[in-house]
Amino acid sequence: AQTWLVGGTDGRATIQEAVDRAAEGDTVLVRPGRYAGPLMVRTRVELVGQAGAVVDGGGRGTVVTLAAPGITMRGFTVRGSGDILSAEHTGILVSAPGIVIEGNRLEDVLFGVHIRRAPGSIVRGNTFRGKALVVARRGDAIRVWYSDDVTIERNHVLDGRDVVLWYSKRLTIQGNEVRRGRYGLHFMYCDGAEVVDNVVADNSVGMYLMYSAHLTLRGNRMAGNRGPSGYGLGLKDMDGVRIEDNVLADNRVGVFMEHASGEWRGNRIVANDIGIWLWPSSRQNRFAGNDLIDNGEQVSVEGEIGDRGNEWAGNFWSDY
């Protein structure tokens, strides 16, 4: 494998020239400097930016497109996408399987990383900062679309709209921090996801899970989510969920449940206006060993749940 240098007196003038000349398995090493986008990568290369390597879209369109299986992109600042929502202008668009996006900074981008029909891809250790727009005009910091077996881990997300995970199975979402957006994490049709050790705070809604089965949420912290809905965790049409050892604190509603069922163990639901808000369609849940502490209303039931209700066993109630 060959290493192609970009920048300096002995390197290629542009990243595009280097990736166009590179062969499968080569490395493109980019020295510090500003390099104009858009950048299109169609060959499996390792794209490595030294500290201070910036790809700048100049406020137009999508900045970087990765379109070959197995590409790695590491160490860059990517900034300056366009701002048209209908065109989904993006910092990094991933459109092939097994791509790794690691250790990059994305700033002043409408959408951050968009994984589109790219199973097995990894987004790890990146920092995201959206455009300075009102929330409804922002794009999603991370969007996973029809891409199974994707891993999203140890990313820091600020001032985006949502982190969207749609129509994808067996996702791993671990160790991320998502703040000051609309929906921290928004799942739809994502069976078998593992959501572990994330911090989702100061959004309108923390996590909202819809139309999925067999999700596991463990060790997450959902706090200070106080928009018009203000759910720390919302579940709608969910089956077989496992909610274990999470903290839900200082939300307008700690947990909202509509037509949802599962196992709830070891969670701490603390200082929310409403701890748990149950709709009648949420049945056959088992709540065991949870702590409900100093919520304005510990559990609110909307209507009659009836005989096939929920089981409560061994929970701690601060106002017992």
Side-chain angles (χ1 to χ4, degrees):
Q2 184 174 349
T3 297
W4 299 81
L5 296 178
V6 179
T9 57
D10 57 344
R12 301 287 170 177
T14 68
I15 305 173
Q16 190 68 66
E17 181 185 357
V19 299
D20 287 347
R21 291 175 174 270
E24 294 278 324
D26 285 357
T27 297
V28 176
L29 179 61
V30 181
R31 293 185 169 118
R34 178 191 173 279
Y35 301 88
L39 172 63
M40 170 66 74
V41 186
R42 300 183 187 274
T43 305
R44 179 178 59 82
V45 296
E46 185 173 1
L47 193 58
V48 180
Q50 294 182 341
V54 178
V55 185
D56 193 328
R60 297 182 301 277
T62 289
V63 184
V64 178
T65 301
L66 306 179
I71 295 169
T72 295
M73 183 173 181
R74 177 185 297 116
F76 289 88
T77 295
V78 177
R79 69 184 182 208
S81 76
D83 63 358
I84 299 175
L85 279 171
S86 60
E88 296 183 349
H89 290 160
T90 302
I92 302 174
L93 173 61
V94 176
S95 60
I99 288 176
V100 178
I101 309 295
E102 184 173 36
N104 303 282
R105 294 185 60 86
L106 292 98
E107 56 191 34
D108 187 33
V109 289
L110 190 65
F111 290 77
V113 170
H114 186 176
I115 300 175
R116 187 171 65 195
R117 299 188 182 277
S121 293
I122 298 171
V123 180
R124 176 191 294 127
N126 304 282
T127 299
F128 296 82
R129 191 100 183 226
K131 285 186 174 291
L133 299 168
V134 297
V135 171
R137 281 276 292 114
R138 300 175 194 166
D140 302 320
I142 301 171
R143 173 177 283 193
V144 178
W145 181 264
Y146 282 102
S147 300
D148 297 340
D149 303 299
V150 164
T151 297
I152 309 290
E153 64 181 2
R154 300 197 305 275
N155 300 285
H156 294 272
V157 178
L158 294 173
D159 302 321
R161 182 175 64 179
D162 307 338
V163 173
V164 164
L165 310 142
W166 286 3
Y167 305 103
S168 304
K169 298 178 181 178
R170 300 177 300 277
L171 302 176
T172 300
I173 314 298
Q174 183 165 353
N176 303 283
E177 182 177 7
V178 184
R179 294 181 181 270
R180 301 202 302 261
R182 186 179 64 174
Y183 287 80
L185 300 176
H186 188 194
F187 289 81
M188 190 180 294
Y189 301 104
C190 288
D191 294 349
E194 295 271 340
V195 186
V196 180
D197 293 337
N198 301 281
V199 175
V200 182
D202 306 321
N203 305 285
S204 181
V205 172
M207 300 186 193
Y208 205 86
L209 318 180
M210 303 175 68
Y211 313 130
S212 305
H214 309 300
L215 270 69
T216 297
L217 274 68
R218 183 174 63 254
N220 302 285
R221 181 170 178 265
M222 292 156 268
N225 301 291
R226 287 191 162 272
S229 298
Y231 307 140
L233 173 61
L235 300 97
K236 176 177 172 57
D237 294 296
M238 297 289 297
D239 294 318
V241 295
R242 293 187 63 86
I243 314 292
E244 301 175 341
D245 301 323
N246 302 281
V247 174
L248 298 106
D250 190 33
N251 306 285
R252 196 181 75 79
V253 177
V255 178
F256 169 79
M257 300 175 65
E258 179 184 356
H259 203 281
S261 65
E263 186 89 7
W264 299 72
R265 290 184 175 275
N267 301 286
R268 295 175 66 84
I269 301 170
V270 182
N272 305 282
D273 297 357
I274 299 173
I276 300 174
W277 186 7
L278 282 168
W279 281 36
S281 56
S282 290
R283 301 178 180 182
Q284 297 180 325
N285 289 278
R286 187 169 195 271
F287 297 89
N290 303 283
D291 296 336
L292 290 97
I293 301 172
D294 294 338
N295 299 288
E297 185 175 1
Q298 301 279 46
V299 176
S300 176
V301 178
E302 193 80 14
E304 294 289 335
I305 288 182
D307 295 336
R308 296 176 61 234
N310 302 295
E311 179 183 350
W312 302 80
N315 302 287
F316 173 80
W317 306 83
S318 63
D319 56 351
Y320 176 72

